Amino acid sequence: MGDIVIAIDGFSGTGKSSTAKKVASALGYTYIDSGAMYRCVARYFIDHQIDFEEEEEVIVALDEILISFRFNKALNASEILLNGQIMDHQIRLPEINEIVSQIAAQPLIRKKLVNRQQALGLHKSMVMDGRDIGTVVFPDAALKIFMTADLDIRTKRRHEELEGQGIQVTSEEIKKNLASRDRLDTTRIDSPLIKAADAIALDSSYLTFDGQVKEIIDLANKIIYEG
Ligand code: DC
């Protein structure tokens, strides 16, 4: 029986993060949200007025940034900390959404975060989700999942989720934003979002949340117990 790394990549709005979190908790594994790490860098750059296009500034800033994770027993989830401060809604604000894709496209920033992600995965027993986990961060991961879902279905789900939070946005705006993020993530030069050759494609368009979680857990158990 071996502990494995599970890499979950895919498009925005496919339910990647909530799926990865549930899979990790069912297996007793650590969950790392790599997108949250890019969001922390965006938070720091905004707070310290760092221009991500100025290489010298970026190098100095990256040396000042420490991203860590801490398990919160009460929440039964891990929290992300930026220089010792818990980051929650601060990294989910519209001002972060606006800039994070450009931050994530910068090679110097990717290099630092990929090194950190690889160090976090050394002990295995880990589920990490993102865009380049199966291709760049853990090319040898025992299980790689590539999540997709129809754009209209992702739009509808995101719309319902935002309405549930009392946030008024039109379907058209959501669809446009998702399509634009798909384009930025798949066309950037450094580590674009692509399916690793050995990743298993999971189209969540017509799966329930529990259904997609079960599918991944079954695949993981097969590898963990049968090799
Ligand atoms: O998954 P998310 O929306 O929280 O990700 C935030 C941004 O970071 C998004 O623009 C994609 C990018 N990202 C990335 O380039 N590589 C990763 N491994 C994870 C996220």
Side-chain angles (χ1 to χ4, degrees):
M1 190 180 109
D3 293 328
I4 62 169
V5 169
I6 302 175
I8 303 185
D9 290 302
F11 291 90
S12 302
T14 49
K16 239 178 10 284
S17 295
S18 26
T19 303
K21 198 183 287 179
K22 193 80 193 274
V23 168
S25 121
L27 294 171
Y29 276 23
T30 305
Y31 164 61
I32 299 288
D33 174 354
S34 69
M37 298 172 75
Y38 288 94
R39 288 172 179 273
C40 281
V41 173
R43 179 75 274 158
Y44 186 93
F45 276 37
I46 292 173
D47 292 347
H48 295 81
Q49 290 158 16
I50 310 292
D51 180 348
F52 61 81
E53 286 177 324
E54 288 295 327
E55 195 173 306
E56 294 300 315
E57 270 187 55
V58 171
I59 292 171
V60 174
L62 286 176
D63 259 351
E64 305 280 321
I65 294 177
L66 178 70
I67 295 171
S68 51
F69 290 86
R70 191 173 65 190
F71 190 75
N72 181 323
K73 268 194 186 160
L75 296 174
N76 192 32
S78 66
E79 297 168 321
I80 188 164
L81 293 94
L82 168 61
N83 292 338
Q85 268 205 305
I86 294 173
M87 289 292 126
D88 185 7
H89 66 281
Q90 305 94 317
I91 57 168
R92 310 277 162 200
L93 297 171
E95 62 184 15
I96 300 287
N97 294 339
E98 272 167 35
I99 195 186
V100 70
S101 294
Q102 288 157 280
I103 296 268
Q106 306 302 316
L108 278 176
I109 297 173
R110 296 204 73 81
K111 192 162 178 278
K112 160 137 180 166
L113 294 193
V114 168
N115 283 340
R116 185 86 181 93
Q117 289 152 8
Q118 288 171 335
L120 289 164
L122 277 182
H123 303 295
K124 307 243 176 121
S125 308
M126 137 111 35
V127 182
M128 190 177 289
D129 80 320
R131 305 294 190 290
D132 61 339
I133 309 304
T135 50
V136 176
V137 181
F138 298 121
D140 297 327
L143 178 59
K144 299 179 187 178
I145 304 290
F146 190 78
M147 288 185 62
T148 60
D150 179 84
L151 180 59
D152 285 324
I153 291 174
R154 286 189 278 147
T155 302
K156 186 166 173 281
R157 286 181 186 159
R158 183 53 58 88
H159 198 204
E160 285 167 2
E161 186 184 316
L162 292 174
E163 273 192 335
Q165 295 167 4
I167 300 170
Q168 298 299 326
V169 219
T170 65
S171 280
E172 289 69 32
E173 283 171 305
I174 296 172
K175 189 171 176 174
K176 219 169 114 188
N177 179 263
L178 285 173
S180 133
R181 292 217 268 156
D182 287 356
R183 199 171 46 249
L184 282 170
D185 287 346
T186 52
T187 58
R188 69 165 174 243
I189 293 166
D190 190 349
S191 320
L193 169 66
I194 44 164
K195 179 183 167 299
D198 53 350
I200 296 168
L202 188 71
D203 182 346
S204 75
S205 303
Y206 300 103
L207 285 172
T208 61
F209 177 67
D210 288 345
Q212 69 204 34
V213 167
K214 183 175 182 309
E215 200 149 311
I216 300 173
I217 292 174
D218 288 348
L219 287 165
N221 279 332
K222 211 165 173 336
I223 297 169
I224 294 168
Y225 294 103
E226 295 170 23

